[in-house]
Amino acid sequence: MSVPAIELSGVVKRFHGVEVLSGVDLRIEKGQTRTILGGSGSGKSVCLKHMIGLLRADAGTIRVDGQDVTQLSEEHWVHLRRDFGFVFQGAALFDSIDVYENVAYPIREHLDWSEDQVRERVRLSLDSVGLEGVERLVPAELSGGMRKRVGLARAIALQPRVILYDEPTTGLDPANSRRIGALIQKLQRELEVTSVVVTHDMGLCFAVSDRVALLRDGRIVLDALAAELRDSQSTELRTFLEGSDPLPPSFSEVLGDVPEEPTDG
């Protein structure tokens, strides 16, 4: 069996004595789009942040490409994070600088490049997410969907091997949610990356996933191929779906035809 891109074994995390993760076991294969489903407060984002060293486990083991990174120092994590792109839930753009500088930020932080090289990588990154001619706009001038795409452009600026998405469609209308789903698929094909998507959005889940894990009460209670979920009789899944949107009837209807995004918000 090949070495997985990321593997969590028995990961436990507590905050102020409250156990949020209670022994998470999760294997993410290279080149796979792996979705972690769960309700609000289930620990999905906590799980994601352990994969990039933003949180440290109280117990258990985390491996990246077979390397045990559980106790890795922050100095070593700074280097390792170059292989990761992180798309934050709220895009997390710097409001005081323009789109160009937002996307250029990780390049300047990690690479000793000339300005011409930076400019070309920023252009390619923005082109990849369907944004052209917005370099000198500031985040306040962008619609919600455009801000998400700028965040995605920044995440791929270092050409990572793994992209982590934290609730990428939160706050977006259905058309822009479909657009983000289509972009995740596009980048998966073109960059040949491993993707981990944290969401409670069933439409996005069915649109992009190879395999899905359901997190509940701090544990993975279901782990299956996305195609298997439609016929699953899992009580855990049905309980989760009672508080979610209905299952979409087909993958094509989830994505549909993605219209152009309006520029006025």
Side-chain angles (χ1 to χ4, degrees):
M1 185 177 293
S2 62
V3 174
I6 303 170
E7 187 172 21
L8 278 62
S9 302
V11 171
V12 174
K13 184 63 180 179
R14 304 179 186 92
F15 294 100
H16 306 293
V18 177
E19 198 165 83
V20 177
L21 301 182
S22 303
V24 169
D25 296 312
L26 186 65
R27 182 184 174 98
I28 300 165
E29 303 296 342
K30 293 177 182 177
Q32 181 183 78
T33 297
R34 169 67 98 143
T35 295
I36 304 174
L37 280 176
S40 298
S42 63
K44 303 186 304 298
S45 296
V46 172
C47 193
L48 198 69
K49 289 173 182 176
H50 278 79
M51 298 178 190
I52 199 172
L54 296 178
L55 290 173
R56 302 301 177 92
D58 294 318
T61 304
I62 301 162
R63 292 184 175 85
V64 175
D65 280 339
Q67 177 189 0
D68 187 343
V69 299
T70 315
Q71 302 299 327
L72 206 63
S73 69
E74 180 60 25
E75 180 182 359
H76 285 91
W77 263 115
V78 168
H79 177 74
L80 186 58
R81 287 186 189 119
R82 288 178 52 176
D83 292 329
F84 286 82
F86 199 109
V87 181
F88 293 90
Q89 182 172 338
L93 302 180
F94 298 108
D95 293 333
S96 59
I97 57 178
D98 61 22
V99 167
Y100 180 90
E101 292 299 335
N102 265 284
V103 178
Y105 180 80
I107 305 172
R108 299 194 199 283
E109 283 287 299
H110 293 284
L111 302 175
D112 184 20
W113 277 12
S114 70
E115 192 56 36
D116 284 344
Q117 289 174 302
V118 172
R119 186 179 302 108
E120 179 62 11
R121 180 59 61 82
V122 170
R123 183 190 67 79
L124 290 173
S125 298
L126 287 170
D127 285 353
S128 292
V129 299
L131 290 176
E132 299 176 357
V134 301
E135 288 86 348
R136 295 309 167 191
L137 297 179
V138 295
E141 297 176 290
L142 305 175
S143 69
M146 292 174 74
R147 285 194 294 272
K148 293 275 190 177
R149 286 191 278 156
V150 172
L152 184 47
R154 184 177 61 189
I156 65 173
L158 292 177
Q159 296 188 336
R161 293 184 293 116
V162 180
I163 303 178
L164 308 178
Y165 299 87
D166 189 3
E167 297 281 8
T169 59
T170 294
L172 298 183
D173 59 37
N176 278 313
S177 293
R178 290 195 298 272
R179 179 186 291 276
I180 293 298
L183 280 173
I184 291 172
Q185 289 187 312
K186 174 177 179 286
L187 295 174
Q188 184 74 14
R189 292 193 305 269
E190 294 180 354
L191 303 181
E192 298 181 344
V193 294
T194 301
S195 300
V196 185
V197 182
V198 158
T199 188
H200 62 270
D201 180 341
M202 289 302 298
L204 179 70
C205 173
F206 274 87
V208 305
S209 306
D210 294 313
R211 195 170 185 93
V212 180
L214 177 61
L215 184 64
R216 184 179 181 189
D217 297 329
R219 295 180 181 273
I220 301 297
V221 296
L222 177 67
D223 192 337
L225 293 171
E228 296 173 350
L229 288 189
R230 296 185 185 281
D231 299 321
S232 174
Q233 300 302 310
S234 165
T235 302
E236 300 286 358
L237 178 62
R238 293 299 150 184
T239 299
F240 169 71
L241 291 176
E242 287 177 3
S244 305
D245 294 332
L247 288 176
S250 70
F251 284 83
S252 60
E253 289 186 36
V254 170
L255 283 178
D257 296 323
V258 181
E260 290 299 313
E261 178 187 79
T263 58
D264 59 358

